[in-house]
Amino acid sequence: MTDKRFHLAWFMNFTPDEWRAPFGQGGYPWDGQFYIEMAQTLERACFDYIMIEDKLMVPETFGGDRKFSLANGMMAPKHDPAPLAVAMGMATRNLGVVATMSTMAYPPFMLARLSSTIDSLTKGRFGWNVVTSAEDLAAQNFGMDVLPPREQRYAMADEYMDVVGQLFDSWDADAVVLDRENGVYADSTKVRSIDFEGEFFKVRGPLNTVPSPQKRPVYVQAGASPRGRDFAAQHADSIVSVANGIDGMKAFRDDIRARAEKIGRNPDDIKVLFCVTPTLGETEEDARAKYERGTTADHFVNDVLASISAITEIDFSQYDLDKPLPEKLVTNGESGTLDKFQQWGSGKTLRELAAAEGGGLVSSMELIGTPAQVADKMGEAMAEVGGDGFLITTPVLRVSRHYLVEIADGLVPELQRRGLVRTEYKHQLLRDNLKEF
Ligand SMILES: Cc1cc2nc3c(=O)[nH]c(=O)nc-3n(C[C@H](O)[C@H](O)[C@H](O)COP(=O)(O)O)c2cc1C
């Protein structure tokens, strides 16, 4: 019998929870407890990993001001994902924890050291979402006036991966000998300098951490442009994507697999997960009513437009909500999400775009219904696409306890009953859980 299982991961950020909703945490999650409980709930549901999104600025594109972002708690405040990944990882046993860190922001040595440390603390369950940053506002926090062009960001990122890879390899797996008799902690013949000197980075090495259980973290990536896809196909263990419908999902995955094959990688080593934002109800009618309520709420359209403005640095407040966009937009920032969002040529108004495909920027297909209906749809989609799973979130990543429980205790058991997702963890390392099927 063929294994039809697919992977589940969860996408969130360290921002206020769904603070306007009655079942939120209350809007002040800064001690991390709400997110620790979230990780424990996802582990109960046997998710592969929880991924923490990150940005390095307070957005001020929407309306040309940071007022909207701060008043609505939209992408700001946003706390550092790395300590939260540690807290979540140490409060769970099997769930993978993935933190976003930008190759523009961290010196490679610091990133390798931090990742290695977290991988040891979580006993081999750490992942790094490799991003190159997408905003001038972020670049301006790191000594630049504008974000480097995409080509250069990826050229730097390629070299960056080389440096950190060499740093992770600068200790042999058996370098720690702990030989009490001869008084040797680590064998110096098994630890090497890397003496890296490239176009962008110069790093002597070796790393000063012991080899972590996975040696290097799981690499997660979301490149969407042709250059970004090549980068992802070369480096990623898991790729996260927002696609337009089942056809778009299939086309994206096929493309990634072809790119991987071309450079000699086994495409099965890359798990492509598609963002979705299911709306669940006791009945289909109930779910549809909930969806309507959610996507027509006053703040919904503005929150979505503020998010897309922040990550593309195009001010969407300048366009008429009830007309199609006047021209095809381009960005040096998150191009894939922009292309998916603007659905150029569809004739949809901006208001309609904000609610398309199940809501928001991060929904690859519409999933509205009872847990059983949505589980069926997810199974059918994966059968058509060929794999490898879903990255579940909400339209602007805000989460209430209610939503979390609907997924973990409503949807996941239905998926499990259909033999579509795992019912127990078989491996200790995140990378092994990803490779299991
Ligand atoms: C699901 C998903 C999650 C992403 N998370 C982040 C993030 O946390 N931080 C970030 O700066 N970019 C994030 N990105 C943007 C990607 O890293 C990438 O820059 C974007 O998809 C555009 O692709 P391109 O760089 O090839 O143009 C995310 C994209 C997607 C689709």
Side-chain angles (χ1 to χ4, degrees):
M1 212 179 79
T2 54
D3 192 341
K4 56 183 179 176
R5 285 179 299 170
F6 52 78
H7 299 267
L8 292 179
W10 185 268
F11 189 34
M12 47 75 70
N13 50 25
F14 198 176
T15 55
D17 53 283
E18 182 46 290
W19 57 282
R20 296 185 182 99
F23 299 100
Q25 186 265 355
Y28 210 79
W30 310 118
D31 66 1
Q33 272 310 318
F34 174 63
Y35 290 118
I36 288 170
E37 285 172 33
M38 179 183 285
Q40 290 166 335
T41 303
L42 296 171
E43 180 165 73
R44 179 156 57 77
C46 294
F47 273 57
D48 284 69
Y49 61 80
I50 182 167
M51 168 166 154
I52 315 169
E53 182 264 7
D54 196 33
K55 291 287 173 190
L56 297 161
M57 85 294 184
V58 174
E60 53 187 65
T61 304
F62 188 66
D65 194 304
R66 64 181 80 102
K67 191 169 154 193
F68 180 90
S69 162
L70 290 171
N72 289 277
M74 238 347 273
M75 296 178 76
K78 184 175 283 185
H79 283 201
D80 194 310
L84 184 62
V86 175
M88 292 194 301
M90 294 185 76
T92 50
R93 285 163 167 269
N94 298 109
L95 181 74
V97 287
V98 177
T100 299
M101 292 183 275
S102 170
T103 53
M104 183 185 80
Y106 284 76
F109 187 90
M110 294 305 286
L111 184 132
R113 183 172 192 252
L114 180 59
S115 297
S116 166
T117 302
I118 303 180
D119 197 48
S120 282
L121 286 169
T122 58
K123 298 192 168 82
R125 292 180 287 125
F126 185 57
W128 167 33
N129 178 29
V130 186
V131 301
T132 61
S133 286
E135 306 83 16
D136 290 344
L137 279 175
Q140 286 157 14
N141 290 329
F142 296 90
M144 288 163 265
D145 293 327
V146 292
L147 187 70
R150 179 174 293 105
E151 273 300 318
Q152 189 185 343
R153 297 204 304 274
Y154 278 115
M156 283 179 76
D158 269 327
E159 191 176 304
Y160 196 105
M161 300 309 286
D162 192 7
V163 181
V164 295
Q166 290 193 35
L167 285 170
F168 291 129
D169 287 341
S170 64
W171 287 56
D172 288 346
D174 58 355
V176 175
V177 288
L178 268 173
D179 179 350
R180 286 186 176 80
E181 251 167 58
N182 296 303
V184 180
Y185 186 86
D187 179 347
S188 63
T189 66
K190 296 183 172 177
V191 181
R192 293 165 296 278
S193 307
I194 66 167
D195 295 318
F196 187 96
E197 211 170 326
E199 193 183 340
F200 305 102
F201 302 106
K202 189 174 169 188
V203 180
R204 182 168 187 269
L207 204 56
N208 60 350
T209 56
V210 302
S212 71
Q214 295 188 110
K215 196 146 190 217
R216 63 172 178 83
V218 157
Y219 294 150
V220 179
Q221 226 279 322
S225 61
R227 183 70 177 84
R229 290 180 190 204
D230 275 339
F231 180 83
Q234 184 178 348
H235 301 288
D237 299 293
S238 179
I239 294 178
V240 292
S241 168
V242 186
N244 257 324
I246 293 176
D247 291 348
M249 290 159 69
K250 180 161 174 39
F252 180 83
R253 180 170 179 271
D254 288 350
D255 180 62
I256 289 290
R257 291 174 67 85
R259 286 173 199 265
E261 224 154 30
K262 210 166 146 193
I263 54 168
R265 267 196 91 187
N266 179 357
D268 292 339
D269 288 348
I270 307 175
K271 304 302 173 189
V272 182
L273 309 188
F274 293 98
C275 271
V276 285
T277 60
T279 306
L280 301 167
E282 313 266 324
T283 63
E284 184 178 344
E285 220 179 14
D286 183 30
R288 294 232 166 252
K290 198 154 123 192
Y291 177 75
E292 282 304 313
R293 254 193 337 268
T295 53
T296 53
D298 285 348
H299 55 78
F300 179 81
V301 174
N302 275 337
D303 278 356
V304 170
L305 296 184
S307 308
I308 187 82
S309 297
I311 64 178
T312 59
E313 297 198 315
I314 297 167
D315 181 5
F316 278 80
S317 74
Q318 65 186 297
Y319 302 118
D320 190 331
L321 275 177
D322 295 305
K323 288 193 179 142
L325 289 166
E327 58 186 334
K328 186 166 190 220
L329 305 171
V330 290
T331 178
N332 183 30
E334 292 199 30
S335 62
T337 308
L338 176 63
D339 289 344
K340 189 271 169 192
F341 176 78
Q342 66 181 329
Q343 295 187 41
W344 183 244
S346 69
K348 287 183 185 160
T349 66
L350 191 52
R351 194 187 297 280
E352 287 164 346
L353 290 178
E357 302 283 5
L361 308 175
V362 283
S363 181
S364 302
M365 61 181 287
E366 190 180 281
L367 291 173
I368 305 171
T370 63
Q373 288 172 324
V374 169
D376 281 340
K377 262 188 138 182
M378 290 169 79
E380 285 157 21
M382 277 299 115
E384 252 180 80
V385 173
D388 301 293
F390 293 98
L391 183 67
I392 297 180
T393 187
T394 69
V396 285
L397 276 68
R398 282 195 217 280
V399 181
S400 68
R401 291 187 197 282
H402 201 159
Y403 181 68
L404 190 63
V405 165
E406 285 174 349
I407 300 290
D409 296 325
L411 179 60
V412 171
E414 288 291 349
L415 291 167
Q416 287 173 332
R417 272 194 277 281
R418 287 162 179 71
L420 294 172
V421 296
R422 74 158 60 80
T423 53
E424 59 175 332
Y425 294 98
K426 290 265 168 63
H427 304 281
Q428 172 60 39
L429 305 183
L430 170 56
R431 185 170 287 109
D432 291 342
N433 281 322
L434 282 170
K435 282 192 175 171
E436 186 186 341
F437 46 84

